Short mmCIF file of all heavy atoms in Angstrom, two decimals:
data_model
loop_
_atom_site.label_atom_id
_atom_site.label_comp_id
_atom_site.label_asym_id
_atom_site.label_seq_id
_atom_site.Cartn_x
_atom_site.Cartn_y
_atom_site.Cartn_z
N HIS A 299 195.04 -61.56 256.51
CA HIS A 299 196.24 -60.78 256.22
C HIS A 299 196.16 -60.01 254.91
O HIS A 299 196.93 -59.07 254.71
CB HIS A 299 197.45 -61.71 256.17
CG HIS A 299 198.00 -62.02 257.54
ND1 HIS A 299 198.86 -61.18 258.19
CD2 HIS A 299 197.78 -63.07 258.37
CE1 HIS A 299 199.17 -61.71 259.37
NE2 HIS A 299 198.53 -62.84 259.50
N ALA A 300 195.28 -60.41 254.00
CA ALA A 300 195.26 -59.76 252.69
C ALA A 300 195.00 -58.26 252.82
O ALA A 300 195.54 -57.46 252.06
CB ALA A 300 194.19 -60.41 251.80
N ARG A 301 194.17 -57.87 253.78
CA ARG A 301 193.83 -56.45 253.95
C ARG A 301 195.08 -55.64 254.30
O ARG A 301 195.21 -54.48 253.89
CB ARG A 301 192.79 -56.30 255.05
CG ARG A 301 192.52 -54.85 255.44
CD ARG A 301 191.66 -54.77 256.68
NE ARG A 301 191.62 -53.40 257.18
CZ ARG A 301 192.50 -52.88 258.02
NH1 ARG A 301 193.53 -53.61 258.42
NH2 ARG A 301 192.38 -51.63 258.45
N THR A 302 196.01 -56.22 255.07
CA THR A 302 197.19 -55.47 255.51
C THR A 302 198.33 -55.53 254.51
O THR A 302 199.36 -54.92 254.73
CB THR A 302 197.68 -56.02 256.86
OG1 THR A 302 198.10 -57.39 256.70
CG2 THR A 302 196.58 -55.95 257.90
N SER A 303 198.16 -56.27 253.40
CA SER A 303 199.23 -56.43 252.43
C SER A 303 199.13 -55.48 251.25
O SER A 303 199.94 -55.55 250.33
CB SER A 303 199.25 -57.89 251.91
OG SER A 303 199.46 -58.79 252.98
N GLY A 304 198.13 -54.63 251.22
CA GLY A 304 198.00 -53.66 250.14
C GLY A 304 196.81 -53.96 249.24
O GLY A 304 196.21 -55.04 249.29
N THR A 305 196.47 -52.98 248.39
CA THR A 305 195.30 -53.09 247.51
C THR A 305 195.43 -54.23 246.52
O THR A 305 194.47 -54.97 246.27
CB THR A 305 195.09 -51.76 246.77
OG1 THR A 305 194.98 -50.70 247.72
CG2 THR A 305 193.82 -51.82 245.93
N ILE A 306 196.62 -54.38 245.92
CA ILE A 306 196.81 -55.44 244.92
C ILE A 306 196.65 -56.81 245.56
O ILE A 306 195.99 -57.70 245.00
CB ILE A 306 198.20 -55.30 244.26
CG1 ILE A 306 198.27 -53.99 243.46
CG2 ILE A 306 198.49 -56.50 243.36
CD1 ILE A 306 199.62 -53.75 242.82
N ALA A 307 197.23 -57.00 246.73
CA ALA A 307 197.11 -58.28 247.42
C ALA A 307 195.66 -58.56 247.80
O ALA A 307 195.18 -59.70 247.70
CB ALA A 307 198.00 -58.29 248.67
N PHE A 308 194.94 -57.52 248.23
CA PHE A 308 193.53 -57.68 248.59
C PHE A 308 192.70 -58.09 247.38
O PHE A 308 191.89 -59.02 247.44
CB PHE A 308 193.00 -56.38 249.19
CG PHE A 308 191.63 -56.48 249.78
CD1 PHE A 308 191.44 -57.01 251.04
CD2 PHE A 308 190.52 -56.04 249.08
CE1 PHE A 308 190.17 -57.10 251.59
CE2 PHE A 308 189.25 -56.12 249.61
CZ PHE A 308 189.08 -56.66 250.87
N ALA A 309 192.92 -57.41 246.24
CA ALA A 309 192.18 -57.74 245.02
C ALA A 309 192.54 -59.13 244.52
O ALA A 309 191.67 -59.89 244.08
CB ALA A 309 192.48 -56.70 243.93
N ALA A 310 193.83 -59.49 244.59
CA ALA A 310 194.25 -60.82 244.15
C ALA A 310 193.64 -61.90 245.04
O ALA A 310 193.26 -62.98 244.55
CB ALA A 310 195.77 -60.91 244.17
N ASP A 311 193.53 -61.63 246.33
CA ASP A 311 192.95 -62.61 247.25
C ASP A 311 191.48 -62.83 246.93
O ASP A 311 190.99 -63.97 246.92
CB ASP A 311 193.11 -62.12 248.68
CG ASP A 311 192.87 -63.22 249.70
OD1 ASP A 311 193.60 -64.22 249.67
OD2 ASP A 311 191.94 -63.08 250.52
N ILE A 312 190.74 -61.76 246.66
CA ILE A 312 189.31 -61.89 246.31
C ILE A 312 189.15 -62.64 244.98
O ILE A 312 188.28 -63.51 244.85
CB ILE A 312 188.64 -60.51 246.24
CG1 ILE A 312 188.58 -59.90 247.64
CG2 ILE A 312 187.25 -60.61 245.64
CD1 ILE A 312 187.97 -58.51 247.69
N ALA A 313 190.01 -62.31 244.00
CA ALA A 313 189.94 -63.02 242.72
C ALA A 313 190.24 -64.50 242.91
O ALA A 313 189.59 -65.36 242.30
CB ALA A 313 190.94 -62.40 241.73
N HIS A 314 191.22 -64.79 243.74
CA HIS A 314 191.58 -66.19 244.01
C HIS A 314 190.41 -66.94 244.65
O HIS A 314 190.08 -68.07 244.27
CB HIS A 314 192.80 -66.22 244.94
CG HIS A 314 193.52 -67.52 244.96
ND1 HIS A 314 194.43 -67.89 243.99
CD2 HIS A 314 193.47 -68.57 245.83
CE1 HIS A 314 194.91 -69.08 244.26
NE2 HIS A 314 194.35 -69.52 245.36
N LEU A 315 189.77 -66.30 245.63
CA LEU A 315 188.63 -66.93 246.31
C LEU A 315 187.44 -67.10 245.36
O LEU A 315 186.73 -68.12 245.42
CB LEU A 315 188.21 -66.07 247.51
CG LEU A 315 189.16 -66.06 248.71
CD1 LEU A 315 188.74 -65.00 249.71
CD2 LEU A 315 189.21 -67.43 249.37
N THR A 316 187.22 -66.12 244.50
CA THR A 316 186.12 -66.22 243.53
C THR A 316 186.32 -67.40 242.60
O THR A 316 185.40 -68.21 242.37
CB THR A 316 186.01 -64.92 242.72
OG1 THR A 316 185.82 -63.82 243.60
CG2 THR A 316 184.83 -64.98 241.75
N ALA A 317 187.52 -67.50 242.04
CA ALA A 317 187.82 -68.59 241.12
C ALA A 317 187.72 -69.94 241.81
O ALA A 317 187.17 -70.91 241.26
CB ALA A 317 189.21 -68.40 240.51
N ALA A 318 188.22 -70.03 243.05
CA ALA A 318 188.15 -71.29 243.80
C ALA A 318 186.70 -71.67 244.07
O ALA A 318 186.32 -72.85 243.99
CB ALA A 318 188.93 -71.17 245.10
N SER A 319 185.86 -70.68 244.39
CA SER A 319 184.45 -70.97 244.67
C SER A 319 183.75 -71.49 243.43
O SER A 319 183.01 -72.49 243.49
CB SER A 319 183.75 -69.69 245.16
OG SER A 319 184.34 -69.23 246.35
N VAL A 320 183.95 -70.81 242.29
CA VAL A 320 183.30 -71.24 241.05
C VAL A 320 183.75 -72.63 240.65
O VAL A 320 182.94 -73.46 240.21
CB VAL A 320 183.59 -70.22 239.93
CG1 VAL A 320 183.08 -70.73 238.59
CG2 VAL A 320 182.93 -68.88 240.25
N TRP A 321 185.03 -72.91 240.82
CA TRP A 321 185.57 -74.21 240.40
C TRP A 321 185.15 -75.32 241.36
O TRP A 321 184.54 -76.31 240.96
CB TRP A 321 187.09 -74.11 240.35
CG TRP A 321 187.73 -75.24 239.58
CD1 TRP A 321 187.12 -76.19 238.83
CD2 TRP A 321 189.13 -75.51 239.48
NE1 TRP A 321 188.03 -77.04 238.27
CE2 TRP A 321 189.28 -76.63 238.65
CE3 TRP A 321 190.28 -74.90 240.01
CZ2 TRP A 321 190.53 -77.18 238.35
CZ3 TRP A 321 191.52 -75.43 239.69
CH2 TRP A 321 191.64 -76.56 238.87
N VAL A 322 185.43 -75.14 242.67
CA VAL A 322 185.16 -76.21 243.64
C VAL A 322 183.67 -76.33 243.92
O VAL A 322 183.08 -77.42 243.77
CB VAL A 322 185.95 -75.95 244.94
CG1 VAL A 322 185.62 -77.03 245.98
CG2 VAL A 322 187.45 -75.91 244.68
N GLY A 323 183.05 -75.23 244.34
CA GLY A 323 181.62 -75.29 244.63
C GLY A 323 180.79 -75.57 243.39
O GLY A 323 179.79 -76.31 243.45
N GLY A 324 181.19 -74.98 242.24
CA GLY A 324 180.46 -75.23 240.99
C GLY A 324 180.53 -76.67 240.57
O GLY A 324 179.52 -77.26 240.14
N LEU A 325 181.71 -77.29 240.70
CA LEU A 325 181.84 -78.70 240.34
C LEU A 325 181.01 -79.58 241.26
O LEU A 325 180.34 -80.52 240.81
CB LEU A 325 183.31 -79.12 240.39
CG LEU A 325 183.60 -80.59 240.06
CD1 LEU A 325 183.15 -80.92 238.64
CD2 LEU A 325 185.08 -80.90 240.24
N ALA A 326 181.03 -79.27 242.57
CA ALA A 326 180.24 -80.07 243.51
C ALA A 326 178.76 -80.01 243.18
O ALA A 326 178.06 -81.04 243.19
CB ALA A 326 180.50 -79.57 244.94
N PHE A 327 178.22 -78.83 242.86
CA PHE A 327 176.79 -78.71 242.55
C PHE A 327 176.47 -79.31 241.18
O PHE A 327 175.39 -79.88 241.00
CB PHE A 327 176.37 -77.24 242.61
CG PHE A 327 175.73 -76.86 243.91
CD1 PHE A 327 176.51 -76.70 245.05
CD2 PHE A 327 174.37 -76.69 244.01
CE1 PHE A 327 175.93 -76.36 246.26
CE2 PHE A 327 173.77 -76.36 245.21
CZ PHE A 327 174.56 -76.19 246.35
N THR A 328 177.40 -79.20 240.23
CA THR A 328 177.15 -79.80 238.92
C THR A 328 177.08 -81.32 239.03
O THR A 328 176.17 -81.96 238.46
CB THR A 328 178.25 -79.39 237.93
OG1 THR A 328 178.26 -77.96 237.81
CG2 THR A 328 178.00 -80.00 236.56
N VAL A 329 178.02 -81.90 239.76
CA VAL A 329 178.00 -83.36 239.96
C VAL A 329 176.76 -83.77 240.73
O VAL A 329 176.11 -84.78 240.41
CB VAL A 329 179.29 -83.82 240.67
CG1 VAL A 329 179.20 -85.29 241.06
CG2 VAL A 329 180.51 -83.58 239.79
N LEU A 330 176.39 -82.98 241.77
CA LEU A 330 175.20 -83.29 242.55
C LEU A 330 173.96 -83.24 241.67
O LEU A 330 173.06 -84.10 241.78
CB LEU A 330 175.08 -82.30 243.70
CG LEU A 330 173.91 -82.52 244.67
CD1 LEU A 330 174.01 -83.87 245.35
CD2 LEU A 330 173.86 -81.39 245.70
N ALA A 331 173.88 -82.27 240.76
CA ALA A 331 172.73 -82.17 239.86
C ALA A 331 172.66 -83.38 238.94
O ALA A 331 171.56 -83.94 238.71
CB ALA A 331 172.84 -80.89 239.04
N LEU A 332 173.80 -83.82 238.41
CA LEU A 332 173.80 -85.00 237.54
C LEU A 332 173.38 -86.25 238.29
O LEU A 332 172.67 -87.11 237.75
CB LEU A 332 175.19 -85.19 236.93
CG LEU A 332 175.65 -84.10 235.95
CD1 LEU A 332 177.06 -84.39 235.47
CD2 LEU A 332 174.69 -83.98 234.77
N LEU A 333 173.81 -86.36 239.54
CA LEU A 333 173.43 -87.54 240.33
C LEU A 333 171.94 -87.55 240.64
O LEU A 333 171.32 -88.62 240.75
CB LEU A 333 174.23 -87.57 241.64
CG LEU A 333 175.74 -87.79 241.52
CD1 LEU A 333 176.41 -87.69 242.88
CD2 LEU A 333 176.03 -89.15 240.88
N ARG A 334 171.32 -86.36 240.77
CA ARG A 334 169.90 -86.28 241.11
C ARG A 334 169.01 -86.20 239.87
O ARG A 334 167.78 -86.22 239.99
CB ARG A 334 169.64 -85.04 241.97
CG ARG A 334 170.20 -85.13 243.39
CD ARG A 334 169.80 -83.90 244.17
NE ARG A 334 170.16 -83.99 245.57
CZ ARG A 334 169.87 -83.06 246.49
NH1 ARG A 334 169.20 -81.98 246.11
NH2 ARG A 334 170.23 -83.21 247.74
N ALA A 335 169.59 -86.10 238.68
CA ALA A 335 168.79 -85.85 237.47
C ALA A 335 168.04 -87.08 236.99
O ALA A 335 167.10 -86.96 236.19
CB ALA A 335 169.68 -85.32 236.36
N GLY A 336 168.43 -88.25 237.42
CA GLY A 336 167.74 -89.46 236.99
C GLY A 336 167.90 -89.72 235.50
O GLY A 336 169.01 -89.71 234.98
N GLU A 337 166.78 -89.93 234.80
CA GLU A 337 166.84 -90.24 233.38
C GLU A 337 167.33 -89.08 232.53
O GLU A 337 167.80 -89.27 231.40
CB GLU A 337 165.45 -90.67 232.89
CG GLU A 337 164.94 -91.96 233.54
CD GLU A 337 163.57 -92.35 233.02
OE1 GLU A 337 162.99 -91.55 232.23
OE2 GLU A 337 163.08 -93.43 233.39
#
Side-chain angles (χ1 to χ4, degrees):
H299 278 278
R301 172 190 170 273
T302 63
S303 300
T305 304
I306 295 177
F308 188 80
D311 195 61
I312 292 178
H314 198 81
L315 289 171
T316 303
S319 299
V320 172
W321 196 8
V322 178
L325 179 61
F327 263 74
T328 300
V329 172
L330 183 61
L332 294 178
L333 293 176
R334 290 184 173 183
E337 296 181 354

